[in-house]
């Protein structure tokens, strides 16, 4: 059975993820304040986000539409009526003393996503407001709060415990990332906190009927840490159980520096959130019309895009799949091929560009490589202005400086030499300087052909058009 | 002079807004012993009155043009202290205006001050105010009722002809009854709650307090408006309630409670109730007896739901952002001390009850059950209104009572709301008007109407007041 691959020391890990996604609406979930990241502290704050006495929340329809879009993309049930609840707890970055969320009647229920052939079920996805941000390290003896994030709309996506390994968890998380970025409902940037992940982890014996006691790991803020945190937690639980102890139901915090999870609070000290329906917001009816409208305007999903790229650009399934894994890459490809050859573009993105991205561990958006510029690079390869080898150097230069491809080629004299007369002169000179090799070649040592090509390339610093060099050499030697 | 006469005089330029304001300010000062006000805005009021006089033409047709008004200190007033009668907000100055006070301003009224109330509107005697109790203008050893006690006393003492109140479990109607004036709690959602400090969000509703139904209709014209800042506000065509007073709604079928004499209502209140029924009969209306055995479970439901919502609504008062903050060594001490020192006993009691009924393991037994009772009461009223136009019942069990009764019998205070609470649970409009006197103290009676039947309520009360004089009595 495939599942047995996931056993660790005979134990079966069982994992469920809770993923918080910040939605990209213009304004906040319940206030007219702007929803933006990176502004000066406390500048995007409305009376409502401050929790002043007497203020009331008004639901942002944009967030509702984005929630519906996610439901449609995951084949989920969209609620006919959704209800907002209050989750009560005290914290300085929670100005009202409660968070408005959805407990029993979420916007989305019972979805499913395909993770490399495996179905991972989504229990529910619900709308809720984000809290502000507490900062404890700005002043010596005081903590401060930035309320810009207070009231930012979140979609919390709760999976069923269908995941069986840390690697699978990462794949599922990447799949969700892919869906939300394709739907354009979030930038999914984990480093900025616009996608955050908590993991529920337990272990059991493969033939156990019930799951083990789970621990919830909070504060995991990168794909890499998701894998590390879960693997650490699995090993910790195995150690606990194998030494005859019991795993405690608790919340644990992942420390990425020490690569370990630490107990944050045990069940006895768990908050009692005293949930109840928020009386300031009437139950919200989602009409069939609204769902249809969202569906009609639904962005292209990864599978659809992959199919379309295969059809319109004649790509093979693998290449199209790699390009569509990440929406920004697929968009980049489409931008580049407006002017450049598709097959060559795919080859260069999947090969050299991806290698650079992986090596430097950054995203395409963060790099200095722009689609229009990259397109010029491909065009220059296509029309033989530069050779593939030179193109690699040009790409390196673009990667470093973001400089215009045409300027790099011109400035460094990288254009390919395709002038027959010029090449002939060079070839003649090389043949004259290497008479013994010419003799040997003519007497049957055909392997020497490569030697001559190499000499030409050396003399031209690699700029000679290889096809033309071959052609001319053959003519002269035979 | 009543509201209508004063407004006519203003419109006929027989009196200026400034003169009216000066008179109200003077009365407020003369009657400061009542403790009806938390804030006075003398300078502001006079300036505003002068402005209205200078721009007379803009205000001549406004429902409240030139009329001094007192607002319950639960409505946020931009740049002016709003305390909710709590130490927690003793020095709180909101940076924004509530829809109710804004609407009243736009209707041409002149705010002379903010009135005293029970702390965060929790109480039925006005004794829970951090700023001390309000005295009943009819007898200063008695309470004026609550929580809108200051607003009721202000009108009863003739300081202003109109004031605003809020009614969560009877907080407009009960003090109106105890002070011998008229007050209306509108249908939930008719008046915007934006800027009104929340106690129990699903029942809180602002409404007019005045000497008579006429003034209530003019004030409601000003207060009621659709407001997209309040998601529970009802979007409907606006009604001219003042015009509605002259309509003829014909002969009404009025529901009265079977076994009303067994509810613990005092003899005097029952007597006044019976004589009011006679007047209604003389006006051509007829009665239908209603079986409302569920009435008394309303109070149990209310005292679960209201504290539950209040425990959450009052969480924002934590000493972090605004309001009272205690000295503390760490965060949890800050919360504990701030809230222990900033809230009064009644408020703390309700927060405790509310937190308890919402907590894990108790939610189903209390909160869910209370909601069930609430739905039951609502459907009972739906049933009644298939058959009758209005329901008629006393507003209170008894007349104004002595201060400090709470300490001898705490449950008696909660029982005070027995007859007013059902309308709040169902979200129905209800209106109290004076209907008798005993021992030189006023008595009140109320109508409960179907949803958005304010026009009928005001019309019926107005017609009764055309043939009676109870609303004209002054202390």
């Amino acid at each position: 059975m495939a599942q047995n691959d996931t056993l660790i020391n005979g134990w079966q890990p069982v994992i469920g993820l809770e993923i918080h996604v910040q939605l990209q609406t213009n304004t906040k979930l319940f206030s007219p304040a702007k929803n933006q990241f990176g502004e000066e502290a406390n500048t995007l704050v409305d009376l409502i986000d401050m929790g002043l006495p007497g203020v009331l929340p008004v639901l942002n329809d944009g967030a509702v539409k984005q929630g519906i879009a996610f439901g449609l993309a995951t084949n989920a049930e969209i609620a006919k009526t959704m209800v907002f609840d209050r989750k009560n707890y005290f914290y300085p970055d929670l100005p009202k003393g409660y968070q408005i969320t959805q407990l029993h009647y979420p916007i989305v229920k019972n979805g499913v996503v395909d993770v490399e052939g495996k179905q991972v079920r989504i229990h529910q996805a619900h709308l809720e407001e984000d809290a502000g941000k507490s900062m404890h390290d700005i002043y010596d003896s005081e903590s401060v709060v930035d309320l810009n994030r207070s009231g930012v709309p979140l979609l919390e996506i709760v999976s069923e415990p269908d995941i069986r390994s840390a690697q699978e968890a990462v794949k599922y998380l990447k799949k969700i990332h892919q869906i939300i970025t394709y739907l354009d409902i979030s930038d999914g940037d984990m480093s900025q906190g616009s996608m955050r992940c908590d993991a529920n982890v337990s272990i059991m014996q493969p033939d156990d009927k019930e799951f083990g006691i789970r621990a919830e790991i909070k504060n995991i803020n990168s794909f890499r840490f998701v894998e590390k945190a879960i693997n650490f937690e699995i090993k910790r639980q195995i150690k606990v159980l194998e030494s005859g102890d019991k795993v405690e139901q608790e919340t644990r915090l992942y420390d990425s520096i020490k690569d370990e999870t630490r107990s944050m609070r045990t069940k006895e000290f768990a908050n009692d959130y005293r949930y109840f329906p928020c009386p300031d917001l009437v139950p919200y009816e989602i009409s069939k019309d609204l769902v249809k409208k969202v569906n009609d305007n639904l962005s292209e999903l990864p599978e659809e895009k992959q199919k379309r790229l295969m059809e319109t650009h004649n790509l093979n399934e693998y290449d199209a799949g790699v390009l569509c894994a990440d929406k920004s890459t697929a968009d980049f490809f489409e931008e580049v091929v407006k002017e450049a050859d598709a097959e060559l573009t795919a080859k260069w993105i999947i090969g050299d560009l991806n290698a650079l991205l992986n090596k430097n561990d950054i995203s395409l958006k963060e790099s200095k490589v722009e689609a229009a510029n990259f397109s010029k690079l491909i065009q220059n390869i296509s029309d033989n202005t530069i050779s593939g080898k030179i193109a690699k150097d040009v790409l390196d230069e673009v990667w470093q400086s973001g400089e215009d491809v045409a300027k790099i080629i011109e400035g460094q004299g990288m254009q390919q030499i395709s002038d027959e007369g010029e090449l002939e002169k060079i070839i003649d000179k090389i043949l004259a300087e290497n008479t013994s090799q010419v003799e040997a070649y003519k007497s049957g040592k055909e392997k020497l052909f490569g030697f001559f090509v190499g000499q030409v390339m050396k003399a031209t610093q690699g700029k000679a058009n290889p096809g033309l060099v071959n052609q001319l050499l053959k003519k002269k030697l035979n | 002079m009543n509201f209508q006469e004063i407004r006519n005089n203003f419109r006929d330029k027989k009196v200026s807004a400034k003169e009216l304001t000066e008179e109200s300010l003077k009365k407020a000062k003369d009657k400061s012993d009542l403790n009806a006000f938390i804030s006075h805005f003398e300078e502001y009021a006079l300036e505003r009155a002068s402005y209205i006089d200078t721009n007379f033409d803009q205000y001549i047709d406004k429902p409240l043009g030139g009329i001094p008004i007192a607002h319950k200190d639960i409505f946020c007033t931009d740049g002016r202290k709003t305390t909710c009668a709590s130490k927690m907000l003793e020095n709180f100055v909101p940076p924004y205006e509530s829809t109710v006070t804004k609407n009243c301003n736009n209707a041409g009224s002149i705010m002379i001050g903010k009135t005293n109330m029970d702390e965060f509107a929790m109480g039925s005697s006005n004794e829970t105010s951090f700023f001390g109790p309000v005295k009943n203008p009819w007898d200063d050893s008695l309470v004026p009722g609550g929580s809108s006690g200051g607003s009721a006393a202000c009108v009863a003492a003739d300081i202003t002809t109109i004031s605003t109140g809020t009614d969560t479990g009877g907080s407009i109607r009960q003090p109106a009854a105890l002070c011998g004036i008229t007050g209306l709690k509108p249908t939930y959602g008719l008046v915007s709650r934006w800027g009104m400090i929340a106690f129990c969000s699903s029942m809180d509703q602002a409404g007019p307090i005045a000497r008579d139904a006429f003034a209530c209709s003019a004030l409601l014209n000003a207060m009621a408006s659709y407001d997209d800042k309040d998601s529970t506000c009802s979007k409907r065509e606006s009604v001219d309630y003042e015009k509605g007073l002259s309509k003829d709604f014909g002969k009404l079928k009025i529901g009265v409670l079977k076994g009303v004499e067994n509810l613990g209502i005092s003899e005097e209140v029952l007597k006044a109730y019976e004589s009011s029924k006679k007047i209604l009969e003389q006006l051509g209306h007829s009665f239908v007896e209603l079986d409302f055995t569920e009435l008394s479970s309303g109070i149990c439901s209310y005292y679960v739901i209201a504290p539950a919502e209040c425990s959450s609504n009052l969480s924002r008062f934590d000493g972090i952002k605004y309001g009272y903050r205690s000295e503390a060594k760490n965060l949890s001490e800050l919360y504990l001390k701030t809230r222990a020192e900033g809230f009064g006993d009644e408020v703390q009691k309700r927060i405790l009850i509310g937190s308890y009924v919402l907590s894990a393991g108790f939610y189903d037994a209390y909160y869910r059950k209370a909601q069930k009772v609430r739905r039951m009461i609502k459907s009972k009223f739906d049933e009644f209104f298939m058959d009758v136009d209005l329901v008629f019942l006393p507003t209170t069990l008894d007349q104004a009572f002595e201060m400090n009764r709470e300490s001898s019998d705490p449950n008696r205070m909660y029982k005070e709301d027995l007859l007013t609470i059902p309308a709040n649970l169902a979200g129905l409009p209800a209106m109290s008007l004076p209907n008798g006197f005993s021992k030189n103290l006023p008595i009140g009676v109320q109508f409960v109407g179907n949803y958005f039947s304010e026009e009928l309520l005001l019309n019926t009360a107005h017609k009764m007041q055309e043939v009676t004089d109870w609303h004209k009595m002054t202390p």
Side-chain angles (χ1 to χ4, degrees):
Chain A
M1 239 167 83
Q3 273 201 358
N4 286 347
D5 298 350
T6 60
L7 295 188
I8 299 178
N9 293 354
W11 292 91
Q12 176 65 66
V14 175
I15 300 153
L17 296 189
E18 291 170 18
I19 305 168
H20 288 85
V21 170
Q22 279 186 347
L23 298 178
Q24 276 176 325
T25 48
N26 294 326
T27 56
K28 293 186 179 178
L29 188 53
F30 298 115
S31 94
K34 268 197 181 152
N35 172 18
Q36 237 163 29
F37 181 80
E39 297 296 306
E40 200 183 317
N42 294 313
T43 55
L44 306 175
V45 185
D46 185 83
L47 304 168
I48 296 168
D49 312 312
M50 283 188 269
L52 281 181
V55 299
L56 298 166
V58 177
L59 181 61
N60 178 345
D61 291 338
V64 177
K65 286 184 192 151
Q66 297 190 358
I68 294 172
F70 179 79
L72 291 170
T74 53
N75 287 314
E77 293 165 28
I78 313 292
K80 290 196 177 70
T81 306
M82 60 174 182
V83 177
F84 285 95
D85 297 284
R86 290 186 184 176
K87 176 180 179 180
N88 295 282
Y89 66 94
F90 287 97
Y91 206 68
D93 58 25
L94 189 73
K96 298 189 296 299
Y98 56 84
Q99 177 196 32
I100 303 179
T101 177
Q102 298 182 320
L103 183 66
H104 296 300
Y105 303 96
I107 185 164
V108 164
K109 263 201 310 206
N110 300 328
V112 65
V113 291
D114 181 285
V115 181
E116 295 182 10
K118 174 175 173 155
Q119 309 279 297
V120 175
R121 292 169 302 156
I122 291 170
H123 174 68
Q124 69 173 52
H126 58 262
L127 290 170
E128 61 183 25
E129 53 179 349
D130 210 342
K133 211 173 192 171
S134 294
M135 288 167 288
H136 309 291
D137 48 4
I138 294 183
Y139 302 104
D140 280 346
S141 57
E142 282 179 320
S143 291
V144 288
V145 175
D146 175 8
L147 292 180
N148 282 357
R149 205 178 67 181
S150 166
V152 164
L154 295 175
L155 188 69
E156 182 176 342
I157 303 159
V158 183
S159 82
E160 296 287 355
D162 288 350
I163 300 161
R164 293 292 174 267
S165 73
Q167 292 82 343
E168 211 170 272
V170 174
K171 283 180 192 162
Y172 165 75
L173 187 61
K174 285 194 168 157
K175 184 73 202 181
I176 295 294
H177 182 269
Q178 193 188 37
I179 292 170
I180 57 167
T181 48
Y182 266 80
L183 292 174
D184 206 21
I185 61 177
S186 175
D187 65 11
D189 190 332
M190 288 191 87
S191 66
Q192 291 186 346
S194 38
M195 183 160 119
R196 311 194 281 268
C197 179
D198 301 337
N200 286 301
V201 179
S202 68
I203 57 170
M204 65 195 276
Q205 283 297 310
D207 49 0
D208 280 353
K209 292 217 165 52
E210 274 174 42
F211 293 149
I213 293 165
R214 67 190 153 87
E216 183 183 8
I217 316 166
K218 291 219 174 261
N219 198 30
I220 325 178
N221 57 14
S222 83
F223 291 110
R224 206 154 51 93
F225 293 157
V226 169
E227 185 167 348
K228 286 184 144 193
I230 292 174
N231 275 333
F232 175 88
E233 183 57 22
I234 292 168
K235 281 182 197 130
R236 187 191 70 86
Q237 291 187 11
I238 291 174
K239 218 183 273 175
V240 169
L241 289 179
E242 287 186 348
S243 69
D245 284 340
K246 278 183 180 163
V247 171
E248 257 197 276
Q249 186 175 338
E250 61 180 351
T251 305
R252 299 179 72 86
L253 210 62
Y254 179 65
D255 180 337
S256 60
I257 295 163
K258 291 186 180 156
D259 186 24
E260 62 177 30
T261 66
R262 278 198 305 272
S263 181
M264 204 168 113
R265 56 173 177 258
T266 54
K267 199 185 172 191
E268 299 94 273
F269 297 101
N271 278 324
D272 181 353
Y273 291 119
R274 292 170 282 120
Y275 284 97
F276 75 105
C278 180
D280 290 328
L281 294 156
V282 286
Y284 186 99
E285 314 273 335
I286 299 175
S287 68
K288 278 186 186 151
D289 282 355
L290 181 63
V291 176
K292 188 180 177 301
K293 212 163 119 193
V294 173
N295 198 25
D296 291 346
N297 293 304
L298 205 61
S299 314
E300 192 178 36
L301 289 166
E303 293 75 18
E304 293 161 7
K305 191 155 191 149
Q306 184 181 358
K307 215 173 140 203
R308 187 168 59 78
L309 291 192
M310 286 165 68
E311 280 163 10
T312 39
H313 299 293
N314 212 15
L315 298 179
N316 63 44
E317 191 178 347
Y318 175 80
D319 284 359
V322 174
L323 289 174
C324 291
D326 173 51
K327 182 169 186 279
S328 55
T329 307
D331 289 345
F332 183 86
F333 170 81
E334 291 203 278
E335 195 58 36
V336 173
V337 298
K338 278 183 186 165
E339 304 281 343
D341 175 68
E343 198 186 333
L344 198 60
T345 304
K347 179 176 161 253
W348 275 83
I349 292 177
I350 293 167
D352 292 79
L353 184 55
N354 265 354
L356 281 169
L357 292 169
N358 290 338
K359 197 175 110 194
N360 293 282
D361 196 20
I362 62 169
S363 71
L364 193 47
K365 265 189 207 156
E366 292 165 305
S367 82
K368 289 178 178 152
V369 185
E370 282 165 14
N373 208 20
F374 191 79
S375 181
K376 278 187 208 163
L377 179 71
I378 304 297
Q379 290 169 59
N380 275 302
I381 303 170
S382 293
D383 66 12
N384 286 326
T385 308
I386 55 172
S387 65
K389 189 169 169 298
I390 294 290
K392 281 183 204 285
D393 296 338
V394 177
L395 181 58
D396 276 334
E397 184 61 36
V398 172
W399 180 267
Q400 297 293 335
S401 64
E403 177 72 84
D404 182 65
V405 163
K407 274 191 190 151
I408 296 172
I409 293 172
E410 212 168 291
Q412 303 189 6
M414 283 170 155
Q415 296 101 316
Q416 191 154 270
I417 303 169
S418 300
D419 183 299
E420 255 183 67
E422 196 183 336
L423 279 180
E424 250 178 290
K425 262 188 229 159
I426 296 166
I427 290 171
D428 288 344
K429 193 171 168 243
I430 286 167
L431 295 182
E433 282 168 1
N434 297 286
T435 44
S436 56
Q437 281 86 347
V438 173
E439 286 307 313
Y441 178 82
K442 283 185 171 166
S443 59
K445 264 190 134 180
E446 287 188 4
K447 271 195 276 177
L448 277 169
F449 191 79
F451 164 78
F452 297 117
V453 175
Q455 290 299 308
V456 177
M457 286 300 170
K458 197 175 160 196
T460 57
Q461 285 133 17
K463 286 181 289 184
N465 180 334
L468 200 55
V469 170
N470 280 356
Q471 198 188 324
L472 290 171
L473 269 175
K474 275 192 182 141
K475 200 173 84 186
K476 298 211 178 269
L477 289 170
N478 297 336
Chain B
M1 264 191 298
N2 67 24
F3 171 86
Q4 193 176 10
E5 290 158 352
I6 288 176
R7 198 180 62 181
N8 285 341
N9 285 346
F10 170 76
R11 288 179 175 181
D12 297 341
K13 286 200 163 181
K14 284 183 190 152
V15 66
S16 68
K18 190 152 181 258
E19 285 164 323
L20 290 171
T21 305
E22 279 167 345
E23 196 192 332
S24 278
L25 290 169
K26 184 176 176 300
K27 283 185 196 162
K29 209 174 261 176
D30 292 346
K31 295 175 183 176
S32 60
D33 283 354
L34 292 175
N35 201 26
F37 285 84
I38 289 173
S39 304
H40 296 278
F41 305 132
E42 235 166 90
E43 202 180 320
Y44 157 83
L46 289 171
E47 262 177 46
R48 168 120 177 102
S50 300
Y51 178 84
I52 288 174
D53 285 331
T54 319
N55 299 281
F56 179 79
D57 292 345
Q58 285 171 36
Y59 291 96
I60 180 165
D61 292 330
K62 294 279 168 73
L64 309 178
I67 309 288
I69 192 170
H71 289 301
K72 187 174 182 178
D73 206 18
I74 199 168
F75 297 104
C76 285
T77 40
D78 192 358
R80 273 164 225 292
K81 217 168 70 170
T82 302
T83 69
C84 237
S86 179
K87 180 179 183 182
M88 193 59 94
L89 293 176
E90 190 181 355
N91 298 306
F92 177 66
V93 178
Y96 77 111
E97 189 81 21
S98 76
T99 301
V100 162
T101 49
K102 190 197 256 171
N103 284 349
C104 289
N105 286 342
N106 292 340
S109 65
I110 298 150
M111 171 175 69
I112 64 156
K114 305 280 290 284
T115 59
N116 205 345
M117 54 184 280
D118 279 302
E119 185 181 7
F120 285 104
M122 297 174 204
S124 308
S125 68
N126 223 300
E127 291 169 295
T128 71
S129 168
F130 173 67
F131 301 96
V134 177
K135 291 167 182 167
N136 192 314
W138 293 91
D139 179 339
D140 64 13
S141 69
L142 305 182
V143 304
S147 66
S148 311
S151 288
C154 172
V155 169
D158 203 31
I159 297 169
T160 60
T161 52
I162 50 172
S163 66
T164 52
T166 61
D167 191 318
T168 306
S171 282
I172 287 175
R173 289 161 289 155
Q174 184 253 17
L178 268 44
C179 290
I181 54 169
T182 307
L184 167 68
K185 179 207 97 74
T187 308
Y188 182 79
L190 183 71
V191 177
S192 167
R193 293 187 295 118
W194 174 258
M196 183 176 120
I197 299 176
F199 156 26
C200 171
S201 314
S202 71
M203 294 187 228
D204 293 346
Q205 183 60 204
I209 294 174
R211 188 153 288 289
D212 52 38
F214 182 92
C216 281
S217 67
L219 182 48
L220 188 62
N221 272 351
M223 290 174 83
S225 71
Y226 170 69
D227 185 1
D228 59 13
K229 291 200 200 70
D230 176 0
S231 311
T232 62
C233 203
S234 157
K235 201 173 195 172
R236 48 195 306 118
E237 247 173 81
S238 66
V239 175
D240 188 336
Y241 300 102
E242 205 181 306
K243 255 191 187 157
L245 296 180
S246 51
K247 272 193 186 170
D248 183 5
F249 283 95
K251 298 189 190 328
L252 304 175
K253 262 165 94 180
I254 295 174
V256 290
L257 304 189
K258 205 184 273 176
V260 70
E261 62 281 359
N262 303 324
L263 291 171
I265 300 169
S266 78
E267 228 170 89
E268 293 83 354
V269 172
L270 276 177
K271 223 173 102 187
Y273 176 59
E274 290 304 325
S275 56
S276 293
K277 276 165 72 178
K278 290 215 175 73
I279 292 167
L280 286 168
E281 243 163 15
Q282 284 160 18
L283 290 170
H285 306 312
S286 59
F287 297 107
V288 177
E289 275 215 329
L290 304 173
D291 198 344
F292 195 12
T293 41
E294 296 84 352
L295 174 80
S296 43
S297 38
I299 208 159
C300 308
S301 168
Y302 176 86
Y303 277 102
V304 170
I305 294 168
E309 291 189 24
C310 112
S311 73
S312 173
N313 280 334
L314 269 56
S315 293
R316 67 190 63 203
F317 304 108
D318 57 4
I320 304 284
K321 309 159 293 277
Y322 47 75
Y324 179 75
R325 177 196 284 206
S326 177
E327 286 295 318
K329 289 195 286 289
N330 55 49
L331 185 62
S332 82
E333 194 185 294
L334 176 74
Y335 285 147
L336 292 172
K337 281 178 73 180
T338 296
R339 290 169 63 82
E341 293 164 12
F343 290 135
D345 291 348
E346 182 62 30
V347 171
Q348 291 190 41
K349 185 161 94 186
R350 296 201 195 191
I351 290 173
L352 276 173
I353 294 171
S355 305
Y356 180 79
V357 299
L358 287 177
S359 56
F362 297 99
Y363 183 90
D364 286 345
Y366 293 101
Y367 185 78
R368 198 185 295 282
K369 200 177 256 175
Q371 289 291 9
K372 223 168 145 182
V373 171
R374 184 177 188 176
R375 282 194 295 275
M376 186 180 79
I377 287 188
K378 188 180 174 301
S379 53
K380 198 77 200 174
F381 273 114
D382 288 342
E383 211 177 282
F384 292 161
F385 287 119
M386 306 248 270
D387 203 23
V388 303
D389 300 299
L390 293 169
V391 176
F392 189 58
L393 71 168
T395 309
T396 54
L397 298 176
D398 207 343
Q399 297 169 274
F401 48 90
E402 282 177 12
M403 292 190 188
N404 301 317
R405 191 180 66 179
E406 169 84 10
S407 46
S408 61
D409 187 1
N411 287 332
R412 180 67 181 81
M413 192 68 86
Y414 288 171
K415 215 189 157 196
E416 192 64 31
D417 307 323
L418 176 74
L419 303 171
T420 47
I421 274 173
N424 300 88
L425 286 170
L428 292 165
M431 182 172 188
S432 177
L433 62 158
N435 72 330
F437 270 80
S438 170
K439 296 168 284 185
N440 202 32
L441 289 174
I443 298 169
V445 73
Q446 64 176 333
F447 289 105
V448 181
N450 207 345
Y451 296 100
F452 301 103
S453 67
E454 283 79 3
E455 199 182 21
L456 175 66
L457 279 172
L458 286 158
N459 178 288
T460 310
H462 180 66
K463 300 248 155 96
M464 271 183 94
Q465 290 184 333
E466 281 178 337
V467 297
T468 55
D469 282 332
W470 304 118
H471 59 288
K472 293 179 185 157
M473 312 283 266
T474 48

